[in-house]
Amino acid sequence: MDVVIAGTGMHPWGKWGRPFTEYGVAAARAALRDAGLDWTEVQYVVGADTIRNGYPGFVAGATFAQALGWTGARIASCYAACASGAQAIDIARTRILAGLCDVALVVGADSTPKGFFRPVGGDRPDDPDWLRFRLLGATNPAYFALYARRRMALYGDTPQDFAAVKVKNALAGSLNENARYRRTATAEEVLASPMVADPLRLMDICATSDGGAAVVLASADYARRRGLSTAVRLAAVSTVTPAFPNTVLELPCFATDSTAAVPPPERTFRASIAHAAYEEAGIGPQDLSFAEVYDLSTALELDWAEDVGLAPPGEAGKLLRAGDTALGGRIPVNPSGGLASFGEAIPAQAIAQVCELARQLRGTAGARQVVNARAGLAANQGLFGHGSAIIAVS
Amino acid sequence: MAAPAIDGWFVTDDGAVYLLGTRCADCRTVYFPPQTGFCRNPHCAGEDLAPARLSRRGTVWSYTNACYPPPAPFVAAEPYTPVTLAAVELSEEGIVVLGQVKDLAVEDLRVGMELELTSGALADGPEVWMWGRP
């Protein structure tokens, strides 16, 4: 049995200052319209949780179902940090594959405060996320910067390379009506923006945004029976965790696992996320038409390009400089404009990536359209060991 | 010396600062911060995790700084000077440990250079482990 993406919807990203439920409902209604399905026909709702909005944030499935109007539909809620959306999609498609429902709605939305993400309030000395701020002042960009500096030392990448990623993604984002940042950027602007965490500058680092995204998933049989679009098939959802010992310093950790007793695994965690998706889909990186990867920083997009197999380790910069990863290039990376143009709305972001996969694969991405797009991969990683990679094909 | 900002993660002995981890008696995997109760190696059923002092010297895996004051619960000094951070690889333990860097800025650091464990005070007083010049 196949699961298809029958519809997608988004509330534009921004800093709107309204309750997250509004963004989620707007995205859900847009996805239902796109699918040509009435809300009352949805059998199952999965909400990706936000943790910044108090009580209703933690019960997102019910929050969205109530806001859309109680119908008695069954629900689930899940939290997997940045990977929440992928897990929500996995829960919905698994229920469809199990034959327990025919059609499901997956929704994620967030409202974010200004500035650095900070830990949940109060004195919580048992929480590593609280402690890394208290003892080290280690913000999320600090970890991104450690990875960026490591690339520079190992592979010879430069701040100019990182700026080129921003320029590329800003151009794609300028063509996306749902992006928060619609202005193109020059390398000079990026390199003149304030240093935040050396070597990363303000324009190298993704913002925190408000936004909402939703997808309608259905069994291919149901979609055909009901005349819904069957053009885009969900070919794989990878939600793998790291293998011990995890030798990459992950936020919010103080240290890596130790290799004193067990040698490092064959693949790093990020590489294993995409690998599992390729295995499930039965395709490889050479079969992709484009990829959406989690560019929390410009430099991290280069790490991801290697981790998902578009280039050997250390050679993503070469791919970038050749224009291969730009719109119109051999293998566009982040044709949506990526986090560079959106900023991060955590529970919505992995779903937004899938919205871009579906639009590209249906050929409705407008000025961002990747020519003859047949297969797309979306990859991200959530805090605390949450992998997320989704492959869709047309 | 001021009170430690966290109990049981580092110790100062005869002027030398040591990170305090634990080591599994069965498989010898090392943990920092100290892991207690059970070993996290999936192939090991060990439940005897003994305190272990980690190597005091390691090589820089990577480094950065915080050009803007980090948010609470961090307490920033006023006037604020950028906090420098280094992730340091301890070869014997096969582990990379993050820490603030004492008296060195990013311009003074490079990947692969050797640093040694020391300690320093947070802006509101308590001591924390820091990486410093050997």
Side-chain angles (χ1 to χ4, degrees):
Chain A
M1 189 202 291
D2 283 336
V3 172
V4 298
I5 303 171
T8 68
M10 294 173 72
H11 181 287
W13 264 229
K15 212 71 169 178
W16 312 111
R18 297 204 307 276
F20 77 100
T21 315
E22 284 186 28
Y23 314 140
V25 168
R29 288 184 170 171
L32 290 165
R33 273 196 306 278
D34 185 45
L37 193 75
D38 195 85
W39 155 242
T40 57
E41 297 176 284
V42 170
Q43 298 164 359
Y44 191 59
V45 183
V46 190
D49 295 350
T50 166
I51 60 167
R52 267 176 305 283
N53 297 281
Y55 190 61
F58 291 98
V59 290
T63 307
F64 295 130
Q66 183 189 33
L68 288 158
W70 290 125
T71 62
R74 297 181 189 222
I75 56 161
S77 299
C78 73
Y79 178 73
C82 303
S84 299
Q87 291 227 347
I89 287 171
D90 195 39
I91 292 165
R93 69 118 186 199
T94 303
R95 203 163 173 99
I96 293 169
L97 289 172
L100 293 170
C101 75
D102 303 306
V103 61
L105 174 68
V106 182
V107 191
D110 208 0
S111 295
T112 53
K114 188 175 159 51
F116 289 117
F117 278 144
R118 57 193 69 200
V120 178
D123 248 17
R124 292 175 307 108
D126 293 332
D127 174 1
D129 196 41
W130 186 88
L131 279 171
R132 58 144 167 160
F133 283 92
R134 171 66 186 129
L135 301 178
L136 305 179
T139 60
N140 291 0
Y143 289 83
F144 312 154
L146 292 172
Y147 307 148
R149 173 62 64 183
R150 181 92 182 150
R151 278 198 75 81
M152 292 171 71
L154 247 51
Y155 306 138
D157 285 0
T158 65
Q160 285 74 18
D161 292 327
F162 303 156
V165 173
K166 174 69 177 186
V167 172
K168 171 183 76 69
N169 289 347
L171 179 61
S174 74
L175 305 173
N176 191 337
E177 71 282 6
N178 288 313
R180 174 176 171 190
Y181 301 104
R182 304 289 309 279
R183 211 169 57 76
T184 56
T186 66
E188 292 69 29
E189 284 175 292
V190 181
L191 293 166
S193 66
M195 192 71 87
V196 173
D198 193 294
L200 297 178
R201 295 174 180 275
L202 190 62
M203 290 177 74
D204 285 305
I205 298 166
C206 96
T208 63
S209 291
D210 296 2
V215 293
V216 174
L217 301 182
S219 72
D221 288 347
Y222 177 86
R224 268 192 295 273
R225 209 161 60 235
R226 292 296 315 278
L228 310 184
S229 167
T230 56
V232 180
R233 183 170 64 84
L234 203 52
V237 182
S238 157
T239 55
V240 296
T241 50
F244 181 89
N246 187 355
T247 58
V248 176
L249 184 65
E250 309 274 13
L251 67 155
C253 299
F254 286 86
T256 61
D257 289 337
S258 153
T259 57
V262 183
E266 183 185 349
R267 292 179 190 83
T268 64
F269 178 37
R270 276 200 306 269
S272 74
I273 296 169
H275 180 77
Y278 290 131
E279 292 271 291
E280 185 185 331
I283 66 172
Q286 72 284 353
D287 301 311
L288 294 181
S289 313
F290 64 99
E292 287 279 312
V293 302
Y294 223 56
D295 57 321
L296 292 163
S297 81
T298 50
L300 197 61
E301 177 176 302
L302 301 175
D303 284 336
W304 272 115
E306 294 160 9
D307 293 326
V308 306
L310 303 183
E315 293 188 18
K318 201 188 289 180
L319 214 63
L320 169 80
R321 290 187 286 269
D324 289 350
T325 55
L327 278 180
R330 187 169 59 77
I331 174 77
V333 174
N334 286 326
S336 69
L339 292 172
S341 304
F342 275 77
E344 193 181 20
I346 292 178
Q349 212 67 44
I351 302 171
Q353 287 184 316
V354 174
C355 291
E356 181 70 8
L357 295 192
R359 289 187 65 177
Q360 291 286 354
L361 294 167
R362 285 158 72 183
T364 58
R368 305 190 315 284
Q369 185 62 49
V370 174
V371 177
N372 197 25
R374 301 300 306 276
L377 170 130
N380 96 33
Q381 177 188 346
L383 242 70
F384 316 117
H386 293 113
S388 158
I390 293 177
I391 293 174
V393 298
S394 61
Chain B
M1 187 184 292
I6 185 154
D7 289 326
W9 286 25
F10 67 100
V11 66
T12 306
D13 184 355
D14 204 13
V17 184
Y18 297 85
L19 289 169
L20 290 177
T22 50
R23 181 179 282 112
C24 174
D26 289 2
C27 76
R28 311 301 290 167
T29 290
V30 174
Y31 293 97
F32 181 84
Q35 161 87 10
T36 56
F38 48 88
C39 183
R40 289 193 279 109
N41 172 358
H43 311 290
C44 178
E47 297 187 344
D48 179 7
L49 293 150
R53 289 183 176 187
L54 271 50
S55 302
R56 298 191 58 238
R57 286 193 183 196
T59 55
V60 173
W61 183 84
S62 192
Y63 59 92
T64 184
N65 63 2
C67 299
Y68 293 88
F74 187 78
V75 178
E78 289 184 33
Y80 177 72
T81 47
V83 173
T84 307
L85 294 171
V88 173
E89 191 164 15
L90 308 180
S91 61
E92 190 190 319
E93 291 83 0
I95 192 171
V96 174
V97 180
L98 189 58
Q100 288 195 36
V101 178
K102 190 176 188 177
D103 299 335
L104 293 170
V106 284
E107 296 75 28
D108 307 315
L109 295 170
R110 59 183 168 73
V111 170
M113 79 185 275
E114 189 171 62
L115 292 179
E116 184 175 271
L117 200 72
T118 179
S119 67
L122 295 170
D124 57 338
E127 288 282 309
V128 70
W129 76 92
M130 291 187 181
W131 295 110
R133 209 186 284 278

PDB file of all heavy atoms in Angstrom, chain A residues 242-248 256-269, chain B residues 43 89 94-95:
ATOM      1  N   PRO A 242      20.566   8.153  17.152  1.00  0.00           N
ATOM      2  CA  PRO A 242      22.002   7.901  16.964  1.00  0.00           C
ATOM      3  C   PRO A 242      22.381   6.472  17.368  1.00  0.00           C
ATOM      4  O   PRO A 242      21.635   5.795  18.068  1.00  0.00           O
ATOM      5  CB  PRO A 242      22.656   8.901  17.930  1.00  0.00           C
ATOM      6  CG  PRO A 242      21.621   9.925  18.227  1.00  0.00           C
ATOM      7  CD  PRO A 242      20.304   9.207  18.143  1.00  0.00           C
ATOM      8  N   ALA A 243      23.535   6.041  16.902  1.00  0.00           N
ATOM      9  CA  ALA A 243      24.114   4.776  17.350  1.00  0.00           C
ATOM     10  C   ALA A 243      25.252   5.109  18.319  1.00  0.00           C
ATOM     11  O   ALA A 243      26.003   6.061  18.101  1.00  0.00           O
ATOM     12  CB  ALA A 243      24.643   3.975  16.163  1.00  0.00           C
ATOM     13  N   PHE A 244      25.376   4.324  19.369  1.00  0.00           N
ATOM     14  CA  PHE A 244      26.411   4.545  20.381  1.00  0.00           C
ATOM     15  C   PHE A 244      27.763   4.061  19.871  1.00  0.00           C
ATOM     16  O   PHE A 244      27.823   2.978  19.294  1.00  0.00           O
ATOM     17  CB  PHE A 244      26.030   3.795  21.655  1.00  0.00           C
ATOM     18  CG  PHE A 244      26.993   3.962  22.788  1.00  0.00           C
ATOM     19  CD1 PHE A 244      26.841   4.999  23.690  1.00  0.00           C
ATOM     20  CD2 PHE A 244      28.066   3.086  22.943  1.00  0.00           C
ATOM     21  CE1 PHE A 244      27.733   5.155  24.742  1.00  0.00           C
ATOM     22  CE2 PHE A 244      28.966   3.255  23.987  1.00  0.00           C
ATOM     23  CZ  PHE A 244      28.794   4.292  24.884  1.00  0.00           C
ATOM     24  N   PRO A 245      28.824   4.774  20.071  1.00  0.00           N
ATOM     25  CA  PRO A 245      28.907   6.085  20.692  1.00  0.00           C
ATOM     26  C   PRO A 245      28.722   7.212  19.669  1.00  0.00           C
ATOM     27  O   PRO A 245      29.317   7.160  18.590  1.00  0.00           O
ATOM     28  CB  PRO A 245      30.341   6.107  21.235  1.00  0.00           C
ATOM     29  CG  PRO A 245      31.116   5.221  20.298  1.00  0.00           C
ATOM     30  CD  PRO A 245      30.155   4.188  19.785  1.00  0.00           C
ATOM     31  N   ASN A 246      27.894   8.193  20.021  1.00  0.00           N
ATOM     32  CA  ASN A 246      27.711   9.352  19.154  1.00  0.00           C
ATOM     33  C   ASN A 246      28.898  10.285  19.361  1.00  0.00           C
ATOM     34  O   ASN A 246      29.072  10.859  20.425  1.00  0.00           O
ATOM     35  CB  ASN A 246      26.390  10.046  19.498  1.00  0.00           C
ATOM     36  CG  ASN A 246      26.067  11.169  18.518  1.00  0.00           C
ATOM     37  OD1 ASN A 246      26.874  11.494  17.644  1.00  0.00           O
ATOM     38  ND2 ASN A 246      24.915  11.771  18.682  1.00  0.00           N
ATOM     39  N   THR A 247      29.709  10.428  18.316  1.00  0.00           N
ATOM     40  CA  THR A 247      30.982  11.142  18.478  1.00  0.00           C
ATOM     41  C   THR A 247      30.912  12.596  18.034  1.00  0.00           C
ATOM     42  O   THR A 247      31.940  13.273  17.966  1.00  0.00           O
ATOM     43  CB  THR A 247      32.093  10.432  17.677  1.00  0.00           C
ATOM     44  OG1 THR A 247      31.686  10.381  16.316  1.00  0.00           O
ATOM     45  CG2 THR A 247      32.321   9.029  18.200  1.00  0.00           C
ATOM     46  N   VAL A 248      29.701  13.081  17.700  1.00  0.00           N
ATOM     47  CA  VAL A 248      29.548  14.503  17.371  1.00  0.00           C
ATOM     48  C   VAL A 248      28.971  15.208  18.593  1.00  0.00           C
ATOM     49  O   VAL A 248      28.032  14.714  19.214  1.00  0.00           O
ATOM     50  CB  VAL A 248      28.622  14.689  16.157  1.00  0.00           C
ATOM     51  CG1 VAL A 248      28.378  16.172  15.885  1.00  0.00           C
ATOM     52  CG2 VAL A 248      29.219  14.026  14.929  1.00  0.00           C
ATOM     53  N   THR A 256      30.643  14.479  24.077  1.00  0.00           N
ATOM     54  CA  THR A 256      30.246  13.373  23.204  1.00  0.00           C
ATOM     55  C   THR A 256      30.196  12.099  24.034  1.00  0.00           C
ATOM     56  O   THR A 256      30.630  12.068  25.180  1.00  0.00           O
ATOM     57  CB  THR A 256      31.291  13.167  22.100  1.00  0.00           C
ATOM     58  OG1 THR A 256      32.546  12.851  22.732  1.00  0.00           O
ATOM     59  CG2 THR A 256      31.446  14.415  21.242  1.00  0.00           C
ATOM     60  N   ASP A 257      29.678  11.035  23.444  1.00  0.00           N
ATOM     61  CA  ASP A 257      29.876   9.712  24.025  1.00  0.00           C
ATOM     62  C   ASP A 257      31.356   9.364  23.907  1.00  0.00           C
ATOM     63  O   ASP A 257      32.067   9.905  23.068  1.00  0.00           O
ATOM     64  CB  ASP A 257      29.062   8.661  23.256  1.00  0.00           C
ATOM     65  CG  ASP A 257      27.565   8.783  23.491  1.00  0.00           C
ATOM     66  OD1 ASP A 257      27.161   9.349  24.525  1.00  0.00           O
ATOM     67  OD2 ASP A 257      26.800   8.314  22.632  1.00  0.00           O
ATOM     68  N   SER A 258      31.790   8.432  24.733  1.00  0.00           N
ATOM     69  CA  SER A 258      33.194   8.020  24.732  1.00  0.00           C
ATOM     70  C   SER A 258      33.412   6.838  23.781  1.00  0.00           C
ATOM     71  O   SER A 258      32.588   5.924  23.702  1.00  0.00           O
ATOM     72  CB  SER A 258      33.595   7.610  26.153  1.00  0.00           C
ATOM     73  OG  SER A 258      34.646   6.683  26.131  1.00  0.00           O
ATOM     74  N   THR A 259      34.552   6.867  23.085  1.00  0.00           N
ATOM     75  CA  THR A 259      34.915   5.754  22.210  1.00  0.00           C
ATOM     76  C   THR A 259      35.910   4.814  22.900  1.00  0.00           C
ATOM     77  O   THR A 259      36.553   4.002  22.240  1.00  0.00           O
ATOM     78  CB  THR A 259      35.546   6.269  20.888  1.00  0.00           C
ATOM     79  OG1 THR A 259      36.673   7.084  21.228  1.00  0.00           O
ATOM     80  CG2 THR A 259      34.554   7.077  20.081  1.00  0.00           C
ATOM     81  N   ALA A 260      36.013   4.941  24.234  1.00  0.00           N
ATOM     82  CA  ALA A 260      37.013   4.137  24.963  1.00  0.00           C
ATOM     83  C   ALA A 260      36.743   2.640  24.817  1.00  0.00           C
ATOM     84  O   ALA A 260      37.679   1.839  24.740  1.00  0.00           O
ATOM     85  CB  ALA A 260      37.018   4.524  26.445  1.00  0.00           C
ATOM     86  N   ALA A 261      35.479   2.242  24.771  1.00  0.00           N
ATOM     87  CA  ALA A 261      35.162   0.808  24.746  1.00  0.00           C
ATOM     88  C   ALA A 261      34.604   0.361  23.396  1.00  0.00           C
ATOM     89  O   ALA A 261      34.867  -0.753  22.954  1.00  0.00           O
ATOM     90  CB  ALA A 261      34.151   0.479  25.842  1.00  0.00           C
ATOM     91  N   VAL A 262      33.839   1.201  22.748  1.00  0.00           N
ATOM     92  CA  VAL A 262      33.179   0.829  21.488  1.00  0.00           C
ATOM     93  C   VAL A 262      33.627   1.809  20.404  1.00  0.00           C
ATOM     94  O   VAL A 262      33.550   3.020  20.602  1.00  0.00           O
ATOM     95  CB  VAL A 262      31.635   0.903  21.638  1.00  0.00           C
ATOM     96  CG1 VAL A 262      30.948   0.449  20.359  1.00  0.00           C
ATOM     97  CG2 VAL A 262      31.167   0.071  22.832  1.00  0.00           C
ATOM     98  N   PRO A 263      34.104   1.318  19.260  1.00  0.00           N
ATOM     99  CA  PRO A 263      34.536   2.250  18.203  1.00  0.00           C
ATOM    100  C   PRO A 263      33.345   3.018  17.635  1.00  0.00           C
ATOM    101  O   PRO A 263      32.204   2.580  17.771  1.00  0.00           O
ATOM    102  CB  PRO A 263      35.153   1.329  17.144  1.00  0.00           C
ATOM    103  CG  PRO A 263      34.598  -0.030  17.426  1.00  0.00           C
ATOM    104  CD  PRO A 263      34.283  -0.084  18.886  1.00  0.00           C
ATOM    105  N   PRO A 264      33.622   4.167  16.993  1.00  0.00           N
ATOM    106  CA  PRO A 264      32.530   4.967  16.429  1.00  0.00           C
ATOM    107  C   PRO A 264      31.757   4.158  15.395  1.00  0.00           C
ATOM    108  O   PRO A 264      32.316   3.290  14.732  1.00  0.00           O
ATOM    109  CB  PRO A 264      33.244   6.141  15.752  1.00  0.00           C
ATOM    110  CG  PRO A 264      34.615   6.156  16.332  1.00  0.00           C
ATOM    111  CD  PRO A 264      34.930   4.762  16.752  1.00  0.00           C
ATOM    112  N   PRO A 265      30.461   4.432  15.241  1.00  0.00           N
ATOM    113  CA  PRO A 265      29.666   3.704  14.248  1.00  0.00           C
ATOM    114  C   PRO A 265      30.123   4.041  12.829  1.00  0.00           C
ATOM    115  O   PRO A 265      30.850   5.008  12.612  1.00  0.00           O
ATOM    116  CB  PRO A 265      28.241   4.191  14.495  1.00  0.00           C
ATOM    117  CG  PRO A 265      28.381   5.492  15.223  1.00  0.00           C
ATOM    118  CD  PRO A 265      29.670   5.435  15.965  1.00  0.00           C
ATOM    119  N   GLU A 266      29.677   3.223  11.885  1.00  0.00           N
ATOM    120  CA  GLU A 266      30.079   3.394  10.484  1.00  0.00           C
ATOM    121  C   GLU A 266      29.678   4.777   9.957  1.00  0.00           C
ATOM    122  O   GLU A 266      30.425   5.397   9.201  1.00  0.00           O
ATOM    123  CB  GLU A 266      29.395   2.296   9.652  1.00  0.00           C
ATOM    124  CG  GLU A 266      29.770   2.288   8.195  1.00  0.00           C
ATOM    125  CD  GLU A 266      28.967   1.252   7.406  1.00  0.00           C
ATOM    126  OE1 GLU A 266      28.288   0.407   8.037  1.00  0.00           O
ATOM    127  OE2 GLU A 266      29.027   1.304   6.160  1.00  0.00           O
ATOM    128  N   ARG A 267      28.503   5.239  10.357  1.00  0.00           N
ATOM    129  CA  ARG A 267      28.022   6.543   9.900  1.00  0.00           C
ATOM    130  C   ARG A 267      27.784   7.452  11.087  1.00  0.00           C
ATOM    131  O   ARG A 267      27.336   7.007  12.133  1.00  0.00           O
ATOM    132  CB  ARG A 267      26.694   6.410   9.148  1.00  0.00           C
ATOM    133  CG  ARG A 267      26.805   5.708   7.838  1.00  0.00           C
ATOM    134  CD  ARG A 267      25.480   5.562   7.126  1.00  0.00           C
ATOM    135  NE  ARG A 267      25.673   4.669   5.993  1.00  0.00           N
ATOM    136  CZ  ARG A 267      25.655   3.353   6.082  1.00  0.00           C
ATOM    137  NH1 ARG A 267      25.393   2.768   7.237  1.00  0.00           N
ATOM    138  NH2 ARG A 267      25.894   2.612   5.025  1.00  0.00           N
ATOM    139  N   THR A 268      28.026   8.761  10.880  1.00  0.00           N
ATOM    140  CA  THR A 268      27.636   9.733  11.903  1.00  0.00           C
ATOM    141  C   THR A 268      26.116   9.739  11.991  1.00  0.00           C
ATOM    142  O   THR A 268      25.423   9.223  11.107  1.00  0.00           O
ATOM    143  CB  THR A 268      28.091  11.153  11.517  1.00  0.00           C
ATOM    144  OG1 THR A 268      27.412  11.540  10.320  1.00  0.00           O
ATOM    145  CG2 THR A 268      29.595  11.217  11.323  1.00  0.00           C
ATOM    146  N   PHE A 269      25.598  10.352  13.049  1.00  0.00           N
ATOM    147  CA  PHE A 269      24.148  10.373  13.215  1.00  0.00           C
ATOM    148  C   PHE A 269      23.472  11.018  12.011  1.00  0.00           C
ATOM    149  O   PHE A 269      22.545  10.446  11.424  1.00  0.00           O
ATOM    150  CB  PHE A 269      23.788  11.110  14.514  1.00  0.00           C
ATOM    151  CG  PHE A 269      22.300  11.225  14.744  1.00  0.00           C
ATOM    152  CD1 PHE A 269      21.438  10.185  14.396  1.00  0.00           C
ATOM    153  CD2 PHE A 269      21.763  12.370  15.304  1.00  0.00           C
ATOM    154  CE1 PHE A 269      20.065  10.291  14.610  1.00  0.00           C
ATOM    155  CE2 PHE A 269      20.397  12.476  15.519  1.00  0.00           C
ATOM    156  CZ  PHE A 269      19.553  11.445  15.171  1.00  0.00           C
TER     157      PHE A 269
ATOM    158  N   HIS B  43      25.654  -2.634  24.350  1.00  0.00           N
ATOM    159  CA  HIS B  43      26.143  -4.010  24.426  1.00  0.00           C
ATOM    160  C   HIS B  43      26.594  -4.382  25.831  1.00  0.00           C
ATOM    161  O   HIS B  43      27.196  -5.432  26.033  1.00  0.00           O
ATOM    162  CB  HIS B  43      27.303  -4.218  23.444  1.00  0.00           C
ATOM    163  CG  HIS B  43      26.999  -3.718  22.065  1.00  0.00           C
ATOM    164  ND1 HIS B  43      26.094  -4.342  21.238  1.00  0.00           N
ATOM    165  CD2 HIS B  43      27.440  -2.629  21.380  1.00  0.00           C
ATOM    166  CE1 HIS B  43      26.004  -3.664  20.106  1.00  0.00           C
ATOM    167  NE2 HIS B  43      26.806  -2.633  20.168  1.00  0.00           N
ATOM    168  N   GLU B  89      39.128  17.552  22.838  1.00  0.00           N
ATOM    169  CA  GLU B  89      39.136  16.097  22.667  1.00  0.00           C
ATOM    170  C   GLU B  89      40.169  15.473  23.612  1.00  0.00           C
ATOM    171  O   GLU B  89      41.345  15.840  23.579  1.00  0.00           O
ATOM    172  CB  GLU B  89      39.492  15.786  21.207  1.00  0.00           C
ATOM    173  CG  GLU B  89      39.288  14.360  20.818  1.00  0.00           C
ATOM    174  CD  GLU B  89      39.266  14.191  19.295  1.00  0.00           C
ATOM    175  OE1 GLU B  89      39.686  15.136  18.570  1.00  0.00           O
ATOM    176  OE2 GLU B  89      38.823  13.138  18.827  1.00  0.00           O
ATOM    177  N   GLY B  94      38.558   9.161  24.700  1.00  0.00           N
ATOM    178  CA  GLY B  94      37.796   9.158  23.453  1.00  0.00           C
ATOM    179  C   GLY B  94      36.537   9.993  23.559  1.00  0.00           C
ATOM    180  O   GLY B  94      35.454   9.595  23.132  1.00  0.00           O
ATOM    181  N   ILE B  95      36.686  11.187  24.132  1.00  0.00           N
ATOM    182  CA  ILE B  95      35.516  12.025  24.431  1.00  0.00           C
ATOM    183  C   ILE B  95      35.871  13.481  24.141  1.00  0.00           C
ATOM    184  O   ILE B  95      37.032  13.875  24.261  1.00  0.00           O
ATOM    185  CB  ILE B  95      35.109  11.799  25.915  1.00  0.00           C
ATOM    186  CG1 ILE B  95      33.752  12.383  26.244  1.00  0.00           C
ATOM    187  CG2 ILE B  95      36.146  12.346  26.866  1.00  0.00           C
ATOM    188  CD1 ILE B  95      33.270  11.965  27.650  1.00  0.00           C
TER     189      ILE B  95
END
